Each structure stands twice: as structure tokens, then as C-alpha cells.
Amino acid sequence: LEREVESKSGLLEGSLGGKLQQLQAPLVASKRVYDKVLVAERIKDSTFDEMVNKIPMIKSLKSQLIQPSNNLDTTYAQAGIVKDAMGGRLKDRWGDAAIIPDLKDREDAERKIKDKYFGKNNKIKDIFRCTLKFSSFKGVFDGWKFLEDMKGIEILNVKNKFKNPDVLGYADININAGFKLQD
């Protein structure tokens, strides 16, 4: 575990020196639980791995992952429009599986801009966010296809953690997308 954390964090090998030892057993137990879920999905649906592999990993340049405005008020106004339009489409198609929360709390966004983006308002990516929650990977795949085919959005980033689950074994799919507003 420590070697994996050191490697992924860019730390020198051996620099953690046993500090994570007490976490080893709970982490291994967590990974086993997630592994069992993935095995069950493969048994339930023989096309699981094929579907996983059809969802690409996409990584856009950071210069492409910006808001069109550096004005946070404008970004919030535009995010509200996107929430209504895209959130409405997702709710219409997926019902309760589409979880559409309120826009990100303004204080949280300002803190993130200050701490992570060094005051650059146009770098914030998650003023509007949503979740599609499914009980099977087939649902996840169908949700991906729906987003991929949705008019007015451009998929910019995809982290398909079913291809590479995290150290705990957790897997999901995270997507950053741009939404074309009317001129």
C-alpha cells in the first residue's frame, strides 16, 4: 500500500516508513468488497468488460477546461441555465436516477478558486454538477451513451475508474463536459 501511495503521490520510495501500516487491513477489506461487486457484475452481465472498454479515458488540455467568462457572477448565471437545460434532459430521461443538486455553494466555489486555482475564476469546473446513479453497469453504460449523444454538450474529460479502480477498489465514471449556450 505504501509503495502504491508513494508512487502515485510522487514521494520517494520508503518515505512513508510504515506510517500507513494501521490502514492496511481496512483498505484490503474495502478492496475485497469492491472486487466482489465487480465479479458479481461480470457474472450478471457477460458484456461488462466490453462495456467498460467502450467508455474511453479522455483528458483535455487544462487550457480547454475553462469557463468562457472570468466573472464569477456570469459563470453562476450560465451554470443556472445549464442546470435547467441539462438537468431537465437528464431528469426527463432517467427520472430519480438523475440527481441534480443545487449549484455549488458560492463560498465553497470562492474558496476553491483561491486555494486550487490561485484566484482565476474561469478555472472552476463544478458550479453545476450532477449524478446518474444506477444499480447495474448496463445502466452506467446507457447513461454514458446518452451523454455522448446529447446535443449541445462536448465531453472534455472522462475518468473511467472501472478500467483502473482506486487503491480501495472503488470505481465510478467522472465526466467534465462543456455545454453550448445560445448566443
PDB file of all heavy atoms in Angstrom, residues 7 12 14 34 37 77 81 87 91 101 114 119-120 124 148 150 156 162 166 170 176 180:
ATOM      1  N   SER A   7       4.225   6.023  -4.927  1.00  0.00           N
ATOM      2  CA  SER A   7       4.366   6.110  -6.378  1.00  0.00           C
ATOM      3  C   SER A   7       3.361   7.091  -6.972  1.00  0.00           C
ATOM      4  O   SER A   7       3.725   7.957  -7.767  1.00  0.00           O
ATOM      5  CB  SER A   7       4.176   4.723  -7.001  1.00  0.00           C
ATOM      6  OG  SER A   7       4.126   4.813  -8.393  1.00  0.00           O
ATOM      7  N   LEU A  12       9.259   9.776  -2.493  1.00  0.00           N
ATOM      8  CA  LEU A  12      10.378   8.841  -2.582  1.00  0.00           C
ATOM      9  C   LEU A  12       9.986   7.504  -1.981  1.00  0.00           C
ATOM     10  O   LEU A  12       9.282   7.439  -0.965  1.00  0.00           O
ATOM     11  CB  LEU A  12      11.583   9.385  -1.821  1.00  0.00           C
ATOM     12  CG  LEU A  12      12.265  10.622  -2.425  1.00  0.00           C
ATOM     13  CD1 LEU A  12      13.340  11.130  -1.464  1.00  0.00           C
ATOM     14  CD2 LEU A  12      12.860  10.289  -3.778  1.00  0.00           C
ATOM     15  N   GLY A  14       9.854   4.465   0.205  1.00  0.00           N
ATOM     16  CA  GLY A  14      10.232   4.270   1.602  1.00  0.00           C
ATOM     17  C   GLY A  14      10.011   5.497   2.477  1.00  0.00           C
ATOM     18  O   GLY A  14      10.212   5.436   3.685  1.00  0.00           O
ATOM     19  N   TYR A  34     -15.256  -4.311  -2.927  1.00  0.00           N
ATOM     20  CA  TYR A  34     -15.442  -3.771  -4.283  1.00  0.00           C
ATOM     21  C   TYR A  34     -15.122  -4.823  -5.341  1.00  0.00           C
ATOM     22  O   TYR A  34     -15.807  -4.909  -6.364  1.00  0.00           O
ATOM     23  CB  TYR A  34     -14.607  -2.508  -4.502  1.00  0.00           C
ATOM     24  CG  TYR A  34     -15.226  -1.271  -3.889  1.00  0.00           C
ATOM     25  CD1 TYR A  34     -14.629  -0.610  -2.834  1.00  0.00           C
ATOM     26  CD2 TYR A  34     -16.433  -0.768  -4.378  1.00  0.00           C
ATOM     27  CE1 TYR A  34     -15.196   0.523  -2.274  1.00  0.00           C
ATOM     28  CE2 TYR A  34     -17.014   0.366  -3.826  1.00  0.00           C
ATOM     29  CZ  TYR A  34     -16.389   0.999  -2.773  1.00  0.00           C
ATOM     30  OH  TYR A  34     -16.966   2.117  -2.227  1.00  0.00           O
ATOM     31  N   VAL A  37     -18.076  -7.011  -5.840  1.00  0.00           N
ATOM     32  CA  VAL A  37     -19.124  -6.338  -6.615  1.00  0.00           C
ATOM     33  C   VAL A  37     -18.807  -6.426  -8.103  1.00  0.00           C
ATOM     34  O   VAL A  37     -19.687  -6.729  -8.918  1.00  0.00           O
ATOM     35  CB  VAL A  37     -19.282  -4.868  -6.168  1.00  0.00           C
ATOM     36  CG1 VAL A  37     -20.182  -4.091  -7.128  1.00  0.00           C
ATOM     37  CG2 VAL A  37     -19.816  -4.799  -4.742  1.00  0.00           C
ATOM     38  N   ALA A  77     -24.586  32.533 -13.392  1.00  0.00           N
ATOM     39  CA  ALA A  77     -25.794  32.712 -14.204  1.00  0.00           C
ATOM     40  C   ALA A  77     -25.830  31.663 -15.318  1.00  0.00           C
ATOM     41  O   ALA A  77     -26.877  31.035 -15.568  1.00  0.00           O
ATOM     42  CB  ALA A  77     -25.833  34.130 -14.783  1.00  0.00           C
ATOM     43  N   ILE A  81     -28.439  28.258 -16.104  1.00  0.00           N
ATOM     44  CA  ILE A  81     -29.064  27.921 -17.390  1.00  0.00           C
ATOM     45  C   ILE A  81     -28.752  26.469 -17.759  1.00  0.00           C
ATOM     46  O   ILE A  81     -29.627  25.716 -18.184  1.00  0.00           O
ATOM     47  CB  ILE A  81     -28.590  28.902 -18.490  1.00  0.00           C
ATOM     48  CG1 ILE A  81     -29.101  30.315 -18.191  1.00  0.00           C
ATOM     49  CG2 ILE A  81     -29.044  28.426 -19.867  1.00  0.00           C
ATOM     50  CD1 ILE A  81     -28.430  31.406 -19.021  1.00  0.00           C
ATOM     51  N   GLY A  87     -30.010  19.444 -16.701  1.00  0.00           N
ATOM     52  CA  GLY A  87     -30.671  18.743 -15.600  1.00  0.00           C
ATOM     53  C   GLY A  87     -32.065  18.286 -15.994  1.00  0.00           C
ATOM     54  O   GLY A  87     -32.479  17.173 -15.671  1.00  0.00           O
ATOM     55  N   LYS A  91     -33.293  14.437 -16.084  1.00  0.00           N
ATOM     56  CA  LYS A  91     -34.467  14.026 -15.297  1.00  0.00           C
ATOM     57  C   LYS A  91     -35.546  13.421 -16.196  1.00  0.00           C
ATOM     58  O   LYS A  91     -36.174  12.429 -15.837  1.00  0.00           O
ATOM     59  CB  LYS A  91     -35.047  15.210 -14.515  1.00  0.00           C
ATOM     60  CG  LYS A  91     -34.350  15.508 -13.220  1.00  0.00           C
ATOM     61  CD  LYS A  91     -34.691  14.466 -12.199  1.00  0.00           C
ATOM     62  CE  LYS A  91     -34.254  14.863 -10.821  1.00  0.00           C
ATOM     63  NZ  LYS A  91     -34.375  13.754  -9.873  1.00  0.00           N
ATOM     64  N   PRO A 101     -28.352  18.370  -7.934  1.00  0.00           N
ATOM     65  CA  PRO A 101     -28.324  19.222  -6.739  1.00  0.00           C
ATOM     66  C   PRO A 101     -28.327  20.711  -7.109  1.00  0.00           C
ATOM     67  O   PRO A 101     -28.216  21.079  -8.290  1.00  0.00           O
ATOM     68  CB  PRO A 101     -26.996  18.838  -6.078  1.00  0.00           C
ATOM     69  CG  PRO A 101     -26.123  18.434  -7.214  1.00  0.00           C
ATOM     70  CD  PRO A 101     -27.047  17.798  -8.233  1.00  0.00           C
ATOM     71  N   LYS A 114      -9.663  30.279  -4.835  1.00  0.00           N
ATOM     72  CA  LYS A 114      -8.500  30.852  -4.129  1.00  0.00           C
ATOM     73  C   LYS A 114      -7.430  29.790  -3.878  1.00  0.00           C
ATOM     74  O   LYS A 114      -6.247  29.995  -4.185  1.00  0.00           O
ATOM     75  CB  LYS A 114      -8.956  31.458  -2.802  1.00  0.00           C
ATOM     76  CG  LYS A 114      -7.836  32.039  -1.962  1.00  0.00           C
ATOM     77  CD  LYS A 114      -8.390  32.625  -0.660  1.00  0.00           C
ATOM     78  CE  LYS A 114      -7.262  33.041   0.244  1.00  0.00           C
ATOM     79  NZ  LYS A 114      -7.124  32.197   1.407  1.00  0.00           N
ATOM     80  N   GLY A 119      -6.922  32.131  -7.615  1.00  0.00           N
ATOM     81  CA  GLY A 119      -7.730  33.312  -7.881  1.00  0.00           C
ATOM     82  C   GLY A 119      -8.272  33.429  -9.288  1.00  0.00           C
ATOM     83  O   GLY A 119      -8.923  34.423  -9.618  1.00  0.00           O
ATOM     84  N   LYS A 120      -8.053  32.444 -10.115  1.00  0.00           N
ATOM     85  CA  LYS A 120      -8.525  32.509 -11.510  1.00  0.00           C
ATOM     86  C   LYS A 120      -9.948  31.933 -11.592  1.00  0.00           C
ATOM     87  O   LYS A 120     -10.142  30.724 -11.640  1.00  0.00           O
ATOM     88  CB  LYS A 120      -7.564  31.758 -12.426  1.00  0.00           C
ATOM     89  CG  LYS A 120      -6.204  32.416 -12.467  1.00  0.00           C
ATOM     90  CD  LYS A 120      -5.251  31.683 -13.368  1.00  0.00           C
ATOM     91  CE  LYS A 120      -3.901  32.412 -13.333  1.00  0.00           C
ATOM     92  NZ  LYS A 120      -2.871  31.652 -13.994  1.00  0.00           N
ATOM     93  N   ILE A 124     -12.710  27.310 -12.470  1.00  0.00           N
ATOM     94  CA  ILE A 124     -13.646  26.465 -11.709  1.00  0.00           C
ATOM     95  C   ILE A 124     -14.507  25.651 -12.681  1.00  0.00           C
ATOM     96  O   ILE A 124     -14.981  26.168 -13.679  1.00  0.00           O
ATOM     97  CB  ILE A 124     -14.523  27.302 -10.737  1.00  0.00           C
ATOM     98  CG1 ILE A 124     -15.315  26.410  -9.789  1.00  0.00           C
ATOM     99  CG2 ILE A 124     -15.442  28.250 -11.452  1.00  0.00           C
ATOM    100  CD1 ILE A 124     -14.702  26.228  -8.470  1.00  0.00           C
ATOM    101  N   GLU A 148     -23.015  10.988 -24.315  1.00  0.00           N
ATOM    102  CA  GLU A 148     -22.165  11.056 -25.501  1.00  0.00           C
ATOM    103  C   GLU A 148     -22.956  11.559 -26.716  1.00  0.00           C
ATOM    104  O   GLU A 148     -22.419  12.295 -27.554  1.00  0.00           O
ATOM    105  CB  GLU A 148     -21.585   9.672 -25.777  1.00  0.00           C
ATOM    106  CG  GLU A 148     -20.596   9.622 -26.911  1.00  0.00           C
ATOM    107  CD  GLU A 148     -20.063   8.210 -27.143  1.00  0.00           C
ATOM    108  OE1 GLU A 148     -20.851   7.246 -27.150  1.00  0.00           O
ATOM    109  OE2 GLU A 148     -18.848   8.093 -27.315  1.00  0.00           O
ATOM    110  N   MET A 150     -25.821  13.388 -26.534  1.00  0.00           N
ATOM    111  CA  MET A 150     -26.642  14.554 -26.217  1.00  0.00           C
ATOM    112  C   MET A 150     -26.189  15.769 -27.029  1.00  0.00           C
ATOM    113  O   MET A 150     -25.012  16.099 -27.057  1.00  0.00           O
ATOM    114  CB  MET A 150     -26.555  14.866 -24.714  1.00  0.00           C
ATOM    115  CG  MET A 150     -27.479  15.982 -24.267  1.00  0.00           C
ATOM    116  SD  MET A 150     -27.253  16.411 -22.513  1.00  0.00           S
ATOM    117  CE  MET A 150     -28.177  15.114 -21.738  1.00  0.00           C
ATOM    118  N   LEU A 156     -15.336  16.668 -22.405  1.00  0.00           N
ATOM    119  CA  LEU A 156     -13.955  17.150 -22.360  1.00  0.00           C
ATOM    120  C   LEU A 156     -13.025  16.213 -21.598  1.00  0.00           C
ATOM    121  O   LEU A 156     -11.864  16.065 -21.971  1.00  0.00           O
ATOM    122  CB  LEU A 156     -13.919  18.542 -21.716  1.00  0.00           C
ATOM    123  CG  LEU A 156     -14.738  19.612 -22.449  1.00  0.00           C
ATOM    124  CD1 LEU A 156     -14.884  20.855 -21.590  1.00  0.00           C
ATOM    125  CD2 LEU A 156     -14.109  19.931 -23.788  1.00  0.00           C
ATOM    126  N   PHE A 162     -13.570   2.327 -13.722  1.00  0.00           N
ATOM    127  CA  PHE A 162     -13.808   0.882 -13.837  1.00  0.00           C
ATOM    128  C   PHE A 162     -12.630   0.225 -14.536  1.00  0.00           C
ATOM    129  O   PHE A 162     -12.367  -0.946 -14.338  1.00  0.00           O
ATOM    130  CB  PHE A 162     -15.119   0.590 -14.568  1.00  0.00           C
ATOM    131  CG  PHE A 162     -16.329   0.840 -13.714  1.00  0.00           C
ATOM    132  CD1 PHE A 162     -16.961   2.066 -13.737  1.00  0.00           C
ATOM    133  CD2 PHE A 162     -16.811  -0.140 -12.866  1.00  0.00           C
ATOM    134  CE1 PHE A 162     -18.065   2.310 -12.936  1.00  0.00           C
ATOM    135  CE2 PHE A 162     -17.909   0.084 -12.059  1.00  0.00           C
ATOM    136  CZ  PHE A 162     -18.537   1.322 -12.090  1.00  0.00           C
ATOM    137  N   ASP A 166      -9.545   2.733  -7.803  1.00  0.00           N
ATOM    138  CA  ASP A 166      -8.578   3.349  -6.897  1.00  0.00           C
ATOM    139  C   ASP A 166      -8.028   2.314  -5.911  1.00  0.00           C
ATOM    140  O   ASP A 166      -8.394   1.139  -5.954  1.00  0.00           O
ATOM    141  CB  ASP A 166      -9.168   4.571  -6.194  1.00  0.00           C
ATOM    142  CG  ASP A 166     -10.223   4.253  -5.150  1.00  0.00           C
ATOM    143  OD1 ASP A 166     -10.365   3.080  -4.742  1.00  0.00           O
ATOM    144  OD2 ASP A 166     -10.903   5.192  -4.709  1.00  0.00           O
ATOM    145  N   TYR A 170     -12.540   1.213  -5.299  1.00  0.00           N
ATOM    146  CA  TYR A 170     -13.705   1.994  -5.720  1.00  0.00           C
ATOM    147  C   TYR A 170     -13.608   2.346  -7.200  1.00  0.00           C
ATOM    148  O   TYR A 170     -12.542   2.684  -7.704  1.00  0.00           O
ATOM    149  CB  TYR A 170     -13.813   3.284  -4.892  1.00  0.00           C
ATOM    150  CG  TYR A 170     -14.981   4.142  -5.279  1.00  0.00           C
ATOM    151  CD1 TYR A 170     -16.266   3.816  -4.868  1.00  0.00           C
ATOM    152  CD2 TYR A 170     -14.806   5.264  -6.076  1.00  0.00           C
ATOM    153  CE1 TYR A 170     -17.352   4.595  -5.239  1.00  0.00           C
ATOM    154  CE2 TYR A 170     -15.883   6.048  -6.446  1.00  0.00           C
ATOM    155  CZ  TYR A 170     -17.150   5.717  -6.020  1.00  0.00           C
ATOM    156  OH  TYR A 170     -18.219   6.480  -6.384  1.00  0.00           O
ATOM    157  N   ASN A 176     -16.271  15.595 -17.289  1.00  0.00           N
ATOM    158  CA  ASN A 176     -16.370  17.048 -17.425  1.00  0.00           C
ATOM    159  C   ASN A 176     -16.882  17.304 -18.836  1.00  0.00           C
ATOM    160  O   ASN A 176     -16.362  16.740 -19.801  1.00  0.00           O
ATOM    161  CB  ASN A 176     -15.016  17.740 -17.280  1.00  0.00           C
ATOM    162  CG  ASN A 176     -14.440  17.632 -15.888  1.00  0.00           C
ATOM    163  OD1 ASN A 176     -13.452  16.952 -15.700  1.00  0.00           O
ATOM    164  ND2 ASN A 176     -15.047  18.274 -14.925  1.00  0.00           N
ATOM    165  N   LYS A 180     -23.064  24.080 -24.710  1.00  0.00           N
ATOM    166  CA  LYS A 180     -23.186  25.220 -25.625  1.00  0.00           C
ATOM    167  C   LYS A 180     -24.455  26.004 -25.296  1.00  0.00           C
ATOM    168  O   LYS A 180     -25.572  25.492 -25.431  1.00  0.00           O
ATOM    169  CB  LYS A 180     -23.225  24.718 -27.079  1.00  0.00           C
ATOM    170  CG  LYS A 180     -23.413  25.801 -28.096  1.00  0.00           C
ATOM    171  CD  LYS A 180     -22.175  26.635 -28.263  1.00  0.00           C
ATOM    172  CE  LYS A 180     -22.367  27.593 -29.434  1.00  0.00           C
ATOM    173  NZ  LYS A 180     -21.689  28.826 -29.266  1.00  0.00           N
TER     174      LYS A 180
END
